[in-house]
Structure formats: structure tokens, C-alpha cells
Amino acid sequence: MGILDGKKALVVGVASKHSIATGIAQALHEQGAKLALTYQNEKLKSRVEGFAESWNSNMVFPCDVSDDQQIAELFESLNEHWGGLDILVHSVGFAPGEELDGDFTDVTSREGFKMAHDISSYSLTALAREARPLMQGRNGSILTMTYVGSQLVLPNYNVMGLAKASLEASVRYLAASMGPEGIRVNAVSAGPIKTLAASGIKSFRRMLAENEKRTPLQRNVTTKEVGNTAAFLTSDMASGITGEVIYVDAGFRNMGMNPIED
């Protein structure tokens, strides 16, 4: 018996076996949740369907989070199949690759800024708005993924840092807006993990190495560890937690400098 038995969960962002969203979906499944997944385009459809099948689900729907019509159709389909929703996981982030390579001032464009904020931040609000009616009376939980680059300057993270800061502010405002209806909204700030999205950041390997050296645990985290935290936060065991950013980064954010070596 799992802590999510009987819960209906939508996970947005599964793209590969290395995706943080995949680790979260796996953890939710292991804890008894029924899963629905989305795919961004036809290229990813069969891959996401394969993941769904491994988790005993046939609930796979198209959703480009930059398209309000697709978002509306997604939740119409969920309503037809389930009639309600308990959990929404938003694990989506994107900025043009050329804006994640170089000096922030030099490489940040108006269009790149708008795109990063639209896909990485605004999409949470767009999804939450459509999920809201399906979560009425169900003590729903919404969870998104952020990164410490929202608070600290990291080489080449650039406009994604600004988008993640916006996302974290959205968590607080959504929590206040939806809290009276019993809907909780939180974020997990994971340490760097080698995912398809992260590979677009020029200095990502350096980020992994520096993070490993600086953390109290002297290692990086895994998608399984992030998934387990997500399962807890979306469960009734976390019923008193909302509007929070929970760090799963092996303690990186607590360190001002690398441990002193003898």
C-alpha cells in the first residue's frame, strides 16, 4: 500500500529515461498513483507511450505548454476519462540554446527572454488554471521543478535563472490563490542532474563537478531522490506544506564555499 493509493496524477515533462519528470512519475507509480502523461510533439509520442505502458497507463495526451488550446483540450480529456485530478506535476523548462552560452548581457534577447519565461514559468499558471476545476474538493497538489540558479548566479544559466525566479514567485502566488480551495502548490529545487534539457547549458559538466565538491554529501543527487520527495509533497502526508521551495541538492545551497581541505 502506497501513500498515493487512489490518487490521479498528471505528469507534464516526461521526455526520456533521464528526465526528472520520469523519475517523479516512477515514484508516483510506486506509491500507488494512477498516471496520465503528456508529450510535446509527435516525435516524442511513442516514447512517452512506452513509459506509460510500463506504469500500467494508457492515458497519454498531446500538450505543447505554449498553446492554450492544447492545454484546454488536455484537461477536457482528463475530465472525460477521470472526472477529477489530485496531482499535477509541471517539469518543463526551455530557453534557446544560444542564450545559455556566454555573457548574460551579451546573449540575452527580447525573444529569448519571452520564450524562457513563457515555457518555463507561465506554463505552470496556465496548467494550474485548467486543473483547478478538476481539483475541487480533492485536496489537490501541484508541484513544479526549479533550480538554485534562481537565487545564485551560475555561468551560462543566464535567462533560465530569471525564468526560474519567476516560477518560484508563481508558486507563492498560486498557493495563496488556490489555498482556500484546499489546493497546495510547491516546488522542488533539485541539484544538477544530467538530463536532455541540462545538456543545452554549455558549462553543465562543470556545474556537476562543482556541485559534487561543494555539497555536504560530496555527491550529486538522482532522479529517484527527487521523485521520492515529489511523492511525499504530493501526498496527504504533506498536507500542511504549500507555497514552499524544497531543496533536494545534497545540501549545496547551504554552503558558502567548498569544504576546506587539509
Side-chain angles (χ1 to χ4, degrees):
M1 184 174 181
I3 60 175
L4 297 175
D5 276 354
K7 299 283 189 182
K8 297 172 180 175
L10 170 66
V11 181
V12 179
V14 172
S16 77
K17 64 181 181 180
H18 301 296
S19 298
I20 290 176
T22 304
I24 293 174
Q26 177 67 35
L28 301 189
H29 169 69
E30 289 173 356
Q31 291 299 328
K34 298 178 180 179
L35 296 180
L37 307 177
T38 68
Y39 59 91
Q40 181 185 356
N41 52 47
E42 289 299 313
K43 181 179 178 180
L44 293 174
K45 181 180 180 180
S46 61
R47 184 185 303 173
V48 176
E49 287 177 335
F51 285 120
E53 184 178 355
S54 71
W55 296 320
N56 303 318
S57 173
N58 61 359
M59 300 276 285
V60 179
F61 306 98
C63 185
D64 179 342
V65 296
S66 67
D67 186 330
D68 286 333
Q69 183 61 37
Q70 285 197 34
I71 292 174
E73 290 173 356
L74 164 63
F75 285 95
E76 287 173 6
S77 297
L78 286 175
N79 190 35
E80 290 175 5
H81 285 83
W82 277 347
L85 184 67
D86 301 294
I87 298 166
L88 166 62
V89 175
H90 169 273
S91 185
V92 179
F94 178 80
E98 61 271 17
E99 312 236 347
L100 303 177
D101 180 6
D103 178 79
F104 170 75
T105 307
D106 291 340
V107 302
T108 302
S109 69
R110 187 180 300 274
E111 285 306 309
F113 186 99
K114 288 166 60 177
M115 182 179 293
H117 282 72
D118 182 17
I119 296 175
S120 308
S121 177
Y122 176 74
S123 61
L124 173 65
T125 299
L127 289 165
R129 181 185 299 117
E130 295 295 332
R132 190 178 202 170
L134 277 69
M135 289 185 160
Q136 298 295 324
R138 303 177 71 98
N139 295 321
S141 177
I142 298 174
L143 185 70
T144 189
M145 299 304 305
T146 186
Y147 181 54
V148 73
S150 65
Q151 308 295 318
L152 304 176
V153 177
L154 296 169
N156 297 311
Y157 201 59
N158 293 349
V159 73
M160 278 301 298
L162 280 67
K164 290 297 187 181
S166 170
L167 179 68
E168 291 176 17
S170 296
V171 166
R172 294 186 284 272
Y173 277 88
L174 286 168
S177 172
M178 305 176 82
E181 299 157 43
I183 301 171
R184 298 181 297 110
V185 186
N186 292 293
V188 168
S189 183
I193 296 174
K194 193 173 182 180
T195 64
L196 184 63
S199 65
I201 302 169
K202 182 182 178 182
S203 55
F204 185 71
R205 289 185 179 179
R206 179 184 167 196
M207 290 167 66
L208 281 172
E210 289 295 321
N211 193 85
E212 183 175 343
K213 286 193 297 184
R214 183 171 295 193
T215 63
L217 296 181
Q218 295 286 282
R219 65 174 178 82
N220 289 305
V221 297
T222 66
T223 56
K224 182 176 179 62
E225 289 173 319
V226 176
N228 288 340
T229 303
F232 163 71
L233 285 173
T234 56
S235 78
D236 293 338
M237 294 180 70
S239 59
I241 302 174
T242 195
E244 296 291 343
V245 177
I246 306 298
Y247 286 81
V248 184
D249 63 357
F252 176 88
R253 75 178 292 259
N254 298 314
M255 304 299 290
M257 61 186 294
N258 290 346
I260 298 173
E261 299 180 0
D262 293 332

